[in-house]
Amino acid sequence: MRAYVINEFGDPDVFKEADLPDPVPGDGEVLIDVKASSVNPVDYKIRDGRAPFLSPPFPAVLHPDCAGVVRAIGTGVQGFVVGDPVYAFASGIGAKQGALADLMVADARMVAKMPSTLSMEEAAALPLVTVTAWYCLVDKAAVGPGTSVFIEGGTGGVGHVAIQIAKSRGAQVFAACGTDQKCQIAEDLGAERAFNYREMTAEEMVAASPEGRGFDVVFNTPGAPSIDHAVSIAAFGGTILDILGDFPVKPGFQMKWLSFVSVFAGRSILMGVDQDGVGAILRTAAELAEKGDLRPLLDPQRFSFADVGKAHAHAEHNQPTGKVVLSNL
């Protein structure tokens, strides 16, 4: 099969096309004919060597996000048949090959049937960011009616999905974005109000919160650049959700009695835990998409697998709107 691999860590041009043996699904696995994938920060951090402990062995095939069609089914797998359109968050981290290839073997527990309302590229944009947002907002923060949620980075990969998941749970959702245009996109996705953080102070955002006391849950998706801002706008006794391990550095965090929760969605792949939970999240996300309550936001610039280096550079350096996706042409 054709694959795009790295044989060492480096810049985006480190990707090389390679011919690898076709993988064979084992017990509990499905073989997916890969049609699309998407870029996440973990992908370029593995590629450039910032997270070498997450890399598959060289020649490494990266990317856990996959959409495609079931090609073959291993023993013990139920619920899928050959030809099913599926999407998955299953490999590309740790020991197993990822989605930047014609074929990918995936743990069937971490695969779900694709929403019929989405294209392959749209479906490929969802897995990692949806699992991440679900773990934070639902499993950890249990957001729901009466909860005010603030999303830092409302049109980012995780952020735009987080808006929609929190909204679907009945929460009041607010967001911060870097331009008025992105603020409008965030509101179109369901935010009650989106604030341009370049033009509004933290104090002004708190004043605009329900009851003017700050936000119950602040989901800090960009990491270090906005973590102290997240503390500033959180309500007393509120919760800061983090996905990059960036703890607040300015004084005052403990004075507000805030909880800090940090989540790494790739644990299910890397540590072999809660694989069934990943599949359940993807199935629920498919139901939301079918109802029109979840739609991926795709960056206008599109790439093929052969242009994966350019896709990584764009995702990392150009502040894309939504997810950067790749098609396997």
Side-chain angles (χ1 to χ4, degrees):
M1 69 173 180
R2 179 185 53 180
Y4 295 88
V5 307
I6 62 170
N7 294 299
E8 59 184 336
F9 300 122
D11 293 333
D13 61 3
V14 76
F15 285 102
K16 305 296 181 186
E17 184 175 337
D19 186 24
L20 299 181
D22 289 359
V24 177
D27 185 48
E29 296 178 330
V30 296
L31 180 66
I32 300 174
D33 188 353
V34 181
K35 302 298 184 185
S37 185
S38 65
V39 184
N40 296 286
V42 69
D43 299 319
Y44 50 75
K45 290 177 181 179
I46 293 173
R47 186 214 74 230
D48 69 12
R50 278 179 283 175
F53 58 96
L54 298 178
S55 178
F58 296 139
V61 181
L62 307 185
H63 286 213
D65 278 346
C66 170
V69 177
V70 174
R71 170 77 69 88
I73 298 173
T75 57
V77 174
Q78 296 181 344
F80 298 103
V81 298
V82 172
D84 276 341
V86 294
Y87 69 144
F89 173 58
S91 305
I93 298 174
K96 289 187 176 181
Q97 170 212 316
L100 286 177
D102 290 335
L103 298 169
M104 183 181 82
V105 164
D107 186 323
R109 294 171 293 179
M110 303 172 74
V111 179
K113 292 179 182 177
M114 212 180 82
S116 62
T117 52
L118 303 184
S119 68
M120 287 287 177
E121 290 80 9
E122 289 172 326
L126 286 177
L128 184 148
V129 294
T130 302
V131 171
T132 298
W134 193 273
Y135 279 157
C136 287
L137 294 170
V138 181
D139 291 355
K140 290 296 186 181
V143 303
T147 307
S148 60
V149 177
F150 190 99
I151 312 296
E152 300 273 16
T155 58
V158 175
H160 86 278
V161 170
I163 287 173
Q164 297 174 82
I165 288 176
K167 187 73 174 180
S168 76
R169 307 289 292 185
Q172 287 182 281
V173 187
F174 301 80
C177 305
T179 68
D180 290 342
Q181 180 184 16
K182 289 185 175 182
C183 286
Q184 185 59 59
I185 292 171
E187 291 178 0
D188 290 344
L189 290 170
E192 314 280 341
R193 184 176 176 187
F195 307 103
N196 187 331
Y197 65 79
R198 302 182 192 277
E199 298 179 354
M200 287 189 69
T201 66
E203 292 75 16
E204 289 171 328
M205 293 182 193
V206 169
S209 68
E211 302 178 8
R213 61 182 184 83
F215 301 91
D216 300 321
V217 174
V218 182
F219 192 179
N220 182 48
T221 69
S226 55
I227 185 61
D228 291 313
H229 181 265
V231 172
S232 298
I233 63 173
F236 183 88
T239 298
I240 306 292
L241 300 172
D242 164 78
I243 55 175
L244 296 174
D246 294 305
F247 197 78
V249 294
K250 287 186 178 179
F253 176 81
Q254 72 275 25
M255 300 301 292
K256 296 182 78 171
W257 282 40
L258 299 175
S259 299
F260 181 85
V261 178
S262 190
V263 165
F264 173 57
R267 65 166 189 152
S268 302
I269 299 173
L270 193 65
M271 302 175 187
V273 296
D274 194 36
Q275 295 96 331
D276 290 312
V278 170
I281 292 170
L282 294 180
R283 289 190 294 274
T284 301
E287 293 172 0
L288 291 174
E290 296 277 6
K291 293 190 297 182
D293 292 336
L294 176 62
R295 58 186 176 92
L297 179 62
L298 304 188
D299 186 77
Q301 191 163 341
R302 305 298 169 82
F303 302 88
S304 69
F305 275 24
D307 293 324
V308 60
K310 294 178 181 178
H312 271 228
H314 180 62
E316 185 173 8
H317 300 299
N318 293 342
Q319 296 185 319
T321 301
K323 290 296 296 290
V324 175
V325 298
L326 305 95
S327 300
N328 189 24
L329 304 176

